[in-house]
Amino acid sequence: MKLSVIIPIYNESENVGPLYSELSEELKKLANKKTISSYEIIFVNDGSKDKTKNILEQLSKKDKKLKAINLRRNFGQTAALKAGFDNSLGDLIVTMDGDLQNDPKDIERLIEKIKQGYDVVSGWRYKRHDSFGKRLSSRIMNNLRQNLIGDYLHDYGCALKIYKKECLKDLELFGELHRYITAYLYIKGYKIGEIKVNHRQRKFGKTKYKFNRGLNGILDLMFLKYWSSFSNRPLHLFGRLGIYQWILAAIIVIEQIVKAYLVKELAFGPLLALASMLGITGLITIIFGFLFEITSRTYFRDENIYSIKEIYN
Ligand code: UDP
Ligand code: MG
């Protein structure tokens, strides 16, 4: 079994050297123990503006097992990961951060766990060394996600994960969706496991994410919920919403007519205004449903709406 380790890197000049030494030592150990047959380390330099590029170039000259991919500019962590996945040759793929917060020693346990029959195993930073704000927002998001998607993982944000190669074909990487890779795979029916992993303080460099991460995370989660439930039948969602609005409008109109009949006077008050608005927005919602249905059908012309695990024959 060949192992690929993928590390997206953006302005981590002080971290790449130590990380490379620590990681390659650990991987050599695993290869000697025959836990893996061979390995490759893929650093994806995501348009760093510091010395990261030069350091990687030097390292890759010395070590054939190190592949350094230079992106033309900073495309973001998700894109960097995808570039790594697309250029990896391993049967098992490990991802981790390039800031030394993940511990390479955990890779062995990730491999053990995936050999128990999982498709993906995610790390759980049960003792996190991050700021209070970051821990709090992660906790809120993890709870929200568990409720919406229905999985049980404790920690989605942990970059240290291991995948079987076959998962890659079902990965939909886009925007900042690296945070929800496991959720996508869960929705597609892959078996997801979890182990507790070590988490260390960031010693060098700065975190690349700020407040906006929270808002982006919530928007991505809303989309994920929509995508998991309605991607191949959006009309059912929007059509239903539109019809509910019409029903509400009809109830209001009937109530108003009965009332007008009883008091023998018809007045165009706020309720009737609401009813006419609901009539129009309901229609618009349904029209949107049709449009999304058409875009979904176009999308799924090239994509499968299922994922096959194996075929016996
Ligand atoms: N990263 C990247 N491109 C970016 C932002 C981040 O490749 O645009 C890398 C970064 O160098 C690090 C990993 O993604 O290796 C995680 O970033 P960071 O440690 O800043 O995130 P945090 O741990 O604070 O969530
Ligand atoms: Mg970090």
Side-chain angles (χ1 to χ4, degrees), residues 8-10 12 46 74 76-77 97-99 101 134 202 207-209 213:
I9 290 279
Y10 179 52
E12 310 274 6
D46 186 15
N74 178 238
Q77 197 178 340
D97 276 352
D99 55 4
Q101 288 196 274
K134 211 180 217 178
R202 204 187 227 282
T207 174
K208 309 296 178 306
Y209 298 100
R213 168 213 312 252

Side-chain angles (χ1 to χ4, degrees), residues 81-178:
L81 270 178
K82 179 145 174 41
F85 285 135
D86 290 346
N87 288 284
S88 65
L89 301 169
D91 310 295
L92 291 176
I93 290 132
V94 166
T95 58
M96 65 193 294
D97 276 352
D99 55 4
L100 288 170
Q101 288 196 274
N102 302 129
D103 188 346
K105 294 217 167 49
D106 286 320
I107 294 178
E108 184 169 15
R109 287 170 46 245
L110 283 173
I111 297 174
E112 275 166 21
K113 182 86 178 177
I114 207 161
K115 281 184 177 166
Q116 290 168 18
Y118 292 90
D119 299 311
V120 186
V121 180
S122 176
W124 166 20
R125 300 162 293 178
Y126 69 110
K127 263 193 204 147
R128 262 181 88 169
H129 294 278
D130 277 323
S131 65
F132 174 74
K134 211 180 217 178
R135 291 199 318 264
L136 182 74
S137 62
S138 277
R139 169 155 278 180
I140 295 172
M141 288 307 292
N142 272 313
N143 271 330
L144 207 62
R145 194 212 65 249
Q146 277 172 4
N147 285 324
L148 275 178
I149 309 299
D151 58 25
Y152 62 88
L153 288 191
H154 292 87
D155 181 13
Y156 261 56
C158 182
L160 183 60
K161 293 187 171 76
I162 188 166
Y163 306 85
K164 279 189 187 150
K165 186 170 83 185
E166 65 203 59
C167 301
L168 300 189
K169 68 177 191 299
D170 269 328
L171 278 189
E172 291 170 31
L173 281 169
F174 204 77
E176 289 184 10
L177 289 180
H178 61 270

